[in-house]
Amino acid sequence: MTYQEAMNKLQMYGQEHVLAYYDQLTEEQKQLLLEQIQDTDFSMLSSCKEKREENKKGEISPLAAMQLTEIEAGREQFVKIGLDAIKQGKVGAVLLAGGMGTRLGSDDPKGMYNIGLTKDVYIFQRLIENLMDVVEQAECWIPLYVMTSDKNHEATVSFLKEHKYFGYHKDYITFFMQEMAPASDYEGKVYMEEKYKISTSPNGNGGWYSSMHKWGIAQKAMADGVEWLNVFAVDNVLQRIADPCFVGAVIAKDCACGSKVVRKCAPDEKVGVMCLEDGKPSIIEYYELTDELANAKDENGDPAYYFGVILNYLFKVSDLEAIREKKLPLHIVEKKIPYLDENGILVKPEEPNGYKFEQLVLDMIHELDSCLPFEVERNKEFAPIKNKTGVDSVESARTLCKENGIEL
Ligand code: UTP
């Protein structure tokens, strides 16, 4: 792209300031900036203006979860079905590790965080140990796909290599990178993080399958016979991954996907809950839950919207393929975005100063015809690490690990 072409594109979106430092750049930096302008989708920035109007929900009704008693009654059969699928190589696991983990406040990828007290226990290590339990039970390796981003790819890959993948077979681990999106101020003007670089941040966890496809990894997985992908977050150190019972239950119920859920600990707990939206499975975020819905009861008199998602989903690959090209809604998230000020000095703000644009994995659920909410015991399977202290923190996760007999 030439300078003039870049300027024309920027003018269309009111982003001419991106070229403000052009004359001060080296030839190589000029080239990098022009390439980035060419590759950047600026159209999403205009959504800042309609922020409040966006992502309107349809008609909400309850979606019953498979609860613990029903799971216990069917456990033997579900585990058998799940283990059979795993042994036949039909199940892969996808670790979503492309996030910035800004709330935790470490510059390293979140998975490198050490939650140990008397010994090293890294978050990545905990996840791999959990997956290893199933590898041992099924007596076969499970393909593990790790999504990183431009911001943490090198660090993630070298950390896992240095730690010999915490005992996992390296041939069964594949890395791929997600896409990035521009970050802007509240008016939708992109920030610059260098004189030759537009500020970008990972574009949310919703693009994981299309990124897997872009890297040719989804195609390879399908050719290898993978039919199900268990997608999970990096920060829940207790979750069971490729859990045979969960896999078996979703297969037995002939659903396009499954979602592990926990009973909310309070009506106003900040988790998204499973529901039907216009008759299709969906997740309603805690801030979208009206008082009426929060207090609604199902036909048994129990709270109708009480099963919170924990970002552990099982997707049928053929159904993912069918929705791969679909555009997911864009979520606009307020964040602290480092930027160059008018003097060209890098500022790291203490408070949020603009927007990041994200697509979310939970929006994929609504594209599918059926989803099984599958209850798990929260004290045994839900220890997310979002913050250093307080709710969903390193501290709370340590307490739960100890309760579950995990030495730290
Ligand atoms: P979070 O919603 O906790 O976001 O991600 P985050 O960016 O990691 O953390 P904060 O909000 O800045 O503190 C939930 C899961 O989705 C992954 C994260 O790595 C985590 O496993 N994720 C998030 C991605 O893989 N890519 C993204 O762009 C965002």
Side-chain angles (χ1 to χ4, degrees):
M1 182 173 252
T2 63
Y3 174 89
Q4 196 49 54
E5 284 166 343
M7 183 52 99
N8 292 346
K9 179 172 180 185
L10 294 172
Q11 277 169 345
M12 273 170 58
Y13 299 103
Q15 307 286 346
E16 301 90 307
H17 63 287
V18 168
L19 286 168
Y21 303 105
Y22 193 76
D23 291 340
Q24 302 172 28
L25 306 181
T26 64
E27 280 313 307
E28 194 187 344
Q29 290 171 337
K30 284 181 178 170
Q31 210 43 48
L32 285 171
L33 180 58
L34 293 178
E35 273 168 28
Q36 197 187 12
I37 295 169
Q38 175 163 355
D39 294 343
T40 300
D41 174 7
F42 294 101
S43 65
M44 66 179 73
L45 297 160
S46 58
S47 13
C48 292
K49 309 224 164 61
E50 304 103 55
K51 183 167 162 46
R52 305 269 159 241
E53 307 307 314
E54 271 218 326
N55 306 341
K56 283 247 156 60
K57 285 278 178 205
E59 193 182 323
I60 303 298
S61 57
L63 171 62
M66 182 185 266
Q67 299 185 26
L68 295 174
T69 38
E70 188 181 352
I71 294 170
E72 277 323 303
R75 179 171 292 278
E76 205 177 316
Q77 181 213 359
F78 297 149
V79 170
K80 185 181 175 321
I81 297 172
L83 275 180
D84 281 350
I86 292 167
K87 282 177 199 282
Q88 289 167 38
K90 291 183 180 173
V91 181
V94 183
L95 167 56
L96 302 176
M100 301 274 280
T102 51
R103 283 169 285 174
L104 187 59
S106 158
D107 285 338
D108 288 329
K110 203 186 246 188
M112 285 172 61
Y113 201 88
N114 188 352
I115 60 165
L117 293 167
T118 61
K119 58 178 191 170
D120 291 338
V121 180
Y122 300 99
I123 292 180
F124 279 139
Q125 177 182 356
R126 279 268 62 251
L127 298 174
I128 289 179
E129 283 170 0
N130 290 347
L131 183 56
M132 284 293 278
D133 289 346
V134 184
V135 166
E136 278 159 24
Q137 195 184 356
E139 297 174 329
C140 67
W141 292 98
I142 294 165
L144 172 63
Y145 308 96
V146 182
M147 182 167 87
T148 61
S149 85
D150 190 40
K151 304 271 182 195
N152 68 13
H153 183 79
E154 299 304 329
T156 302
V157 173
S158 46
F159 177 81
L160 286 170
K161 188 169 175 207
E162 191 186 313
H163 287 87
K164 302 199 167 50
Y165 308 97
F166 296 106
Y168 215 74
H169 194 315
K170 76 174 179 13
D171 294 353
Y172 287 84
I173 300 188
T174 313
F175 295 91
F176 65 101
M177 276 158 81
Q178 67 174 97
E179 314 284 300
M180 303 296 283
S184 77
D185 67 13
Y186 292 121
E187 300 306 312
K189 297 252 184 253
V190 291
Y191 278 122
M192 300 298 287
E193 62 184 44
E194 306 263 9
K195 290 182 174 175
Y196 62 94
K197 201 166 177 206
I198 298 167
S199 275
T200 57
S201 59
N203 70 345
N205 53 29
W208 68 273
Y209 189 71
S210 60
S211 297
M212 244 181 117
H213 201 271
K214 256 189 202 135
W215 281 62
I217 291 166
Q219 298 87 321
K220 164 92 173 51
M222 282 184 276
D224 291 345
V226 174
E227 292 179 10
W228 296 92
L229 287 170
N230 181 197
V231 179
F232 62 101
V234 73
D235 47 34
N236 177 5
V237 289
L238 278 185
Q239 65 192 315
R240 310 309 305 165
I241 303 156
D243 172 357
C245 188
F246 177 42
V247 173
V250 175
I251 295 176
K253 295 288 167 189
D254 195 22
C255 284
C257 70
S259 164
K260 285 201 167 181
V261 292
V262 292
R263 218 167 267 260
K264 285 208 289 191
C265 62
D268 58 352
E269 189 188 351
K270 290 183 173 173
V271 292
V273 292
M274 292 284 330
C275 63
L276 289 174
E277 179 186 350
D278 294 332
K280 289 185 83 177
S282 186
I283 289 154
I284 181 155
E285 284 289 4
Y286 65 90
Y287 49 83
E288 296 169 323
L289 201 67
T290 57
D291 282 350
E292 190 190 336
L293 290 176
N295 296 317
K297 301 274 188 282
D298 65 15
E299 69 265 19
N300 302 320
D302 295 322
Y305 304 96
Y306 223 60
F307 287 98
V309 290
I310 62 169
L311 220 175
N312 186 312
Y313 302 108
L314 184 72
F315 288 101
K316 193 190 263 183
V317 180
S318 54
D319 285 65
L320 286 172
E321 270 299 305
I323 62 163
R324 184 163 51 80
E325 303 285 350
K326 284 243 166 103
K327 258 214 166 330
L328 296 177
L330 205 57
H331 295 257
I332 301 172
V333 194
E334 257 190 282
K335 287 271 169 171
K336 298 179 221 166
I337 303 158
Y339 67 99
L340 290 190
D341 67 11
E342 56 279 12
N343 304 314
I345 311 287
L346 186 68
V347 180
K348 285 191 173 175
E350 298 285 323
E351 296 299 324
N353 61 330
Y355 295 132
K356 260 171 73 164
F357 300 83
E358 295 192 336
Q359 291 182 324
L360 301 180
V361 60
L362 57 83
D363 286 317
M364 294 170 103
I365 306 283
H366 188 52
E367 300 298 330
L368 300 168
D369 288 333
S370 54
C371 178
L372 178 72
F374 178 91
E375 186 185 12
V376 296
E377 275 181 76
R378 66 183 296 148
N379 283 0
K380 292 193 177 156
E381 259 206 65
F382 190 42
I385 298 178
K386 301 286 184 195
N387 309 296
K388 270 212 170 93
T389 56
V391 178
D392 296 344
S393 67
V394 179
E395 283 172 353
S396 58
R398 279 184 182 141
T399 307
L400 285 162
C401 281
K402 282 190 216 154
E403 258 178 45
N404 283 281
I406 294 158
E407 266 182 56
L408 295 176

